[in-house]
Amino acid sequence: MFSNQKLKILYVDDDPDDLFLVTSLLKRINDVHYEIDGATSIEEAIPKLDQSFDLFLVDYRLGKDTGLELISEIKAIKKHAPVIMLTGMNSGNIDREALNLGASDYLVKGEFDANSLDRTLRYAIRDAKLMESLASAAVKFRSIFELASDPFLLMDDEGEILEVNPAFQKKFGLSAYEPNSEKSYSFKKLLTEDASRQELDTLFANGQEIYDLEALMTIENGQTINSLISIVKQDTSIFQVLIKDLSAIKAKEEEELNLKKFSSTGRIARILAHEVKNPLTTILLSADQLTFELPEEVLAESGDLIDVIRRNCDRINHLVTQLLDSTRFSELDSKSHSINDLLDQALEHVQDRIDLKEIAIIKQYQTDICSIEVDGEKVKIALINLIVNAIEAMEDKAGKLILKTSVKGTQCRIEIKDNGEGIPKENLERLFEPFFTSKPTGSGLGLINTQNIILSHGGSIRVKSELGKGTSFTILFNLPS
């Protein structure tokens, strides 16, 4: 590391003989060239501190002053500079004082030779460079830690949170971790599902690391997010935890999937309209012709079969027309509307159902919300469909319907949330499929029509549900630019 290297030393001592002695010793070292500059007092040394020295040798006694004062000056200017204290007295107190001020080592005059002095100097320089490197790495880590846009935390090997960055605090709030609090905060409690907690227990038991664990997490206000968690060891008992919020990505994927489903449904509807309606027309015309051509005695005996053919043809024709209408983008009569007003008007249309089931309505409207450019009548139909579904999912006298509006970025956000029975996961994935319904008398086209209206406006619709806790539909409309 030091072979054939030139190392520059500032030696501060008020005794010229000691300077001569140290210089003579270091000249005996063959593989390193030591260049020594001297100073006899603190006043003479301080102006030289700005020069590039690899190491400082400081005598304890410097006239009326002590070398401890000079060490403080050196460390104030060059925090990681290697400094070695020299003295004629073997005192443990001086040793401790020098080390507390940041000295690398302590040597007693007359008790070292060329080799031990050389070794001490090399170790001091090596350790100083290591400390500077560690400090630089710590600054970089702290900068990454503090400025990271994703939640970042440190926890011990029992899952107790030790420190968090601002992004974590913003996402999870003080209930998850409060700085300077004497309370303990568990990372495990933020995991929503038992399977994720068990995986964390396995990690601690086996001393492993986890990369890209997908898990549901509870954030501020009891909401949940889809997250991607990486847990790596910082040392034997400290883990770094990086949390990536996948909610926006998942929501985007869900929107794209719903749009693909809707497009596929539209293509199917158009194919059905073409391939089914034409044969139906032929069947109906044939049934009509039979009424003219069959003898009266045959009509009297089996004429009701022709009526069955007509009724079922009409029924098929009606279903195909409904499907076609619910997947066809219609012309919009867009005007400026307050989304709060549209929600209130939709509520008025279903007030009798609300009163009948004694549903509690909780409005959480943003009062200064911007107006949006939409076809008011069509958007009201979409809102009514969602509100009616929510009402029907809730128990009489125990239902709570939350209607919330807000602006986030460039989008107007509407949330319709109930505390009903919830939707099973297998049904949740089929909600926007045509003719799919869990209602005994439903057509299965109400949500398709709702989706059509929202997509026609360039908006999006998402759904979250949990069995026994309720369902939440979120609608997003773009604000006027």
Side-chain angles (χ1 to χ4, degrees):
M1 177 178 175
F2 295 99
S3 183
N4 299 319
Q5 190 173 351
K6 180 187 287 187
L7 298 176
K8 191 174 180 182
I9 298 172
L10 177 63
Y11 184 96
V12 186
D13 195 326
D14 59 358
D15 188 341
D17 291 338
D18 287 332
L19 172 61
F20 177 76
L21 177 60
V22 170
T23 303
S24 298
L25 289 172
L26 292 178
K27 283 182 178 178
R28 299 177 189 176
I29 308 303
N30 295 322
D31 57 343
V32 179
H33 175 67
Y34 289 102
E35 182 181 313
I36 299 181
D37 190 3
T40 58
S41 66
I42 290 181
E43 290 76 11
E44 186 182 350
I46 287 178
K48 296 185 177 185
L49 297 183
D50 290 332
Q51 297 179 34
S52 179
F53 290 103
D54 296 294
L55 183 138
F56 298 86
L57 283 169
V58 180
D59 187 27
Y60 178 70
R61 288 292 177 191
L62 295 172
K64 67 181 189 320
D65 302 309
T66 71
L68 297 175
E69 297 169 27
L70 182 57
I71 292 176
S72 296
E73 292 287 343
I74 294 170
K75 289 296 181 177
I77 297 172
K78 300 178 179 181
K79 182 178 179 182
H80 299 288
V83 182
I84 295 175
M85 172 70 77
L86 292 173
T87 183
M89 298 180 296
N90 191 353
S91 169
N93 289 333
I94 296 174
D95 185 354
R96 283 191 293 273
E97 286 184 76
L99 293 176
N100 287 337
L101 288 172
S104 304
D105 209 339
Y106 174 89
L107 291 174
V108 179
K109 292 179 179 179
E111 295 186 5
F112 56 84
D113 57 16
N115 288 329
S116 61
L117 177 58
D118 175 51
R119 183 170 59 251
T120 301
L121 299 184
R122 294 185 195 217
Y123 285 175
I125 293 171
R126 182 203 63 184
D127 291 347
K129 287 182 177 178
L130 178 60
M131 292 302 295
E132 187 173 8
S133 176
L134 289 173
S136 176
V139 169
K140 289 179 181 177
F141 174 78
R142 174 58 55 182
S143 177
I144 293 170
F145 186 80
E146 295 290 340
L147 299 178
S149 58
D150 293 318
F152 199 0
L153 65 93
L154 300 178
M155 69 177 178
D156 64 18
D157 54 4
E158 293 183 353
E160 182 177 340
I161 299 174
L162 305 175
E163 189 176 1
V164 304
N165 71 339
F168 177 93
Q169 204 75 76
K170 183 178 179 181
K171 177 76 68 176
F172 291 88
L174 293 177
S175 60
Y177 180 81
E178 185 173 358
N180 305 318
S181 172
E182 295 182 0
K183 292 171 59 180
S184 62
Y185 295 88
S186 171
F187 176 71
K188 189 189 295 187
K189 289 184 178 179
L190 302 178
L191 299 172
T192 306
E193 299 170 317
D194 289 336
S196 301
R197 298 192 194 102
Q198 290 169 4
E199 193 154 354
L200 191 64
D201 288 337
T202 302
L203 174 139
F204 292 139
N206 300 329
Q208 298 173 330
E209 297 181 340
I210 292 177
Y211 298 93
D212 299 340
L213 167 67
E214 284 199 38
L216 284 176
M217 299 188 73
T218 303
I219 60 172
E220 199 170 19
N221 302 324
Q223 295 180 323
T224 58
I225 60 168
N226 291 292
S227 63
L228 193 66
I229 304 172
S230 294
I231 304 175
V232 298
K233 279 187 176 181
Q234 179 169 302
D235 57 36
T236 54
S237 60
I238 304 296
F239 291 85
Q240 298 175 11
V241 183
L242 180 63
I243 303 166
K244 187 78 174 177
D245 186 353
L246 298 180
S247 298
I249 297 172
K250 292 285 186 182
K252 189 69 176 175
E253 289 176 351
E254 185 181 338
E255 289 174 13
E256 291 176 354
L257 180 61
N258 286 337
L259 188 57
K260 286 179 181 178
K261 283 183 178 180
F262 182 79
S263 299
S264 298
T265 302
R267 285 194 296 273
I268 292 170
R270 289 189 291 275
I271 291 170
L272 284 174
H274 182 267
E275 300 295 335
V276 174
K277 279 198 167 190
N278 288 341
L280 281 178
T281 301
T282 302
I283 293 170
L284 281 170
L285 289 174
S286 298
D288 290 339
Q289 189 64 30
L290 283 174
T291 59
F292 292 111
E293 295 184 2
L294 289 176
E296 290 187 8
E297 59 274 15
V298 175
L299 283 174
E301 183 178 340
S302 55
D304 55 339
L305 295 176
I306 296 176
D307 291 334
V308 169
I309 292 172
R310 285 172 173 162
R311 284 198 305 273
N312 281 279
C313 284
D314 287 339
R315 181 171 176 271
I316 294 170
N317 190 47
H318 180 67
L319 287 173
V320 172
T321 300
Q322 274 189 308
L323 179 61
L324 191 61
D325 290 342
S326 65
T327 57
R328 179 191 289 133
F329 285 152
S330 55
E331 188 175 339
L332 301 176
D333 181 18
S334 295
K335 295 178 182 177
S336 180
H337 292 276
S338 163
I339 197 61
N340 294 347
D341 291 344
L342 291 178
L343 266 172
D344 284 337
Q345 291 169 24
L347 276 175
E348 290 177 9
H349 281 272
V350 295
Q351 191 61 49
D352 55 338
R353 297 177 185 237
I354 293 170
D355 294 340
L356 183 64
K357 298 194 71 170
E358 299 183 37
I359 301 295
I361 305 297
I362 302 170
K363 296 181 182 180
Q364 297 176 353
Y365 293 175
Q366 181 174 322
T367 54
D368 59 342
I369 199 164
C370 302
S371 295
I372 54 175
E373 293 290 328
V374 295
D375 187 320
E377 292 305 314
K378 286 187 171 59
V379 170
K380 272 194 288 184
I381 291 171
L383 296 175
I384 289 169
N385 285 342
L386 295 177
I387 292 172
V388 167
N389 285 347
I391 293 170
E392 292 178 351
M394 293 184 284
E395 293 183 8
D396 294 3
K397 301 181 181 180
K400 289 183 181 179
L401 180 63
I402 298 174
L403 303 175
K404 184 177 181 180
T405 62
S406 60
V407 170
K408 187 174 183 180
T410 60
Q411 291 183 312
C412 173
R413 180 187 179 98
I414 307 150
E415 186 176 357
I416 299 174
K417 185 176 182 180
D418 65 62
N419 66 339
E421 59 189 3
I423 303 170
K425 187 175 180 180
E426 61 271 17
N427 291 352
L428 201 61
E429 297 172 354
R430 301 185 60 195
L431 273 188
F432 296 105
E433 291 182 8
F435 303 118
F436 173 77
T437 180
S438 58
K439 301 175 186 177
T441 58
S443 67
L445 292 173
L447 281 178
I448 290 289
N449 191 37
T450 297
Q451 185 185 43
N452 180 18
I453 292 170
I454 294 165
L455 293 178
S456 296
H457 287 85
S460 63
I461 180 170
R462 301 198 299 266
V463 58
K464 287 184 179 180
S465 188
E466 190 172 349
L467 279 176
K469 293 189 176 181
T471 302
S472 172
F473 281 90
T474 301
I475 302 169
L476 296 173
F477 287 116
N478 294 323
L479 292 171
S481 55

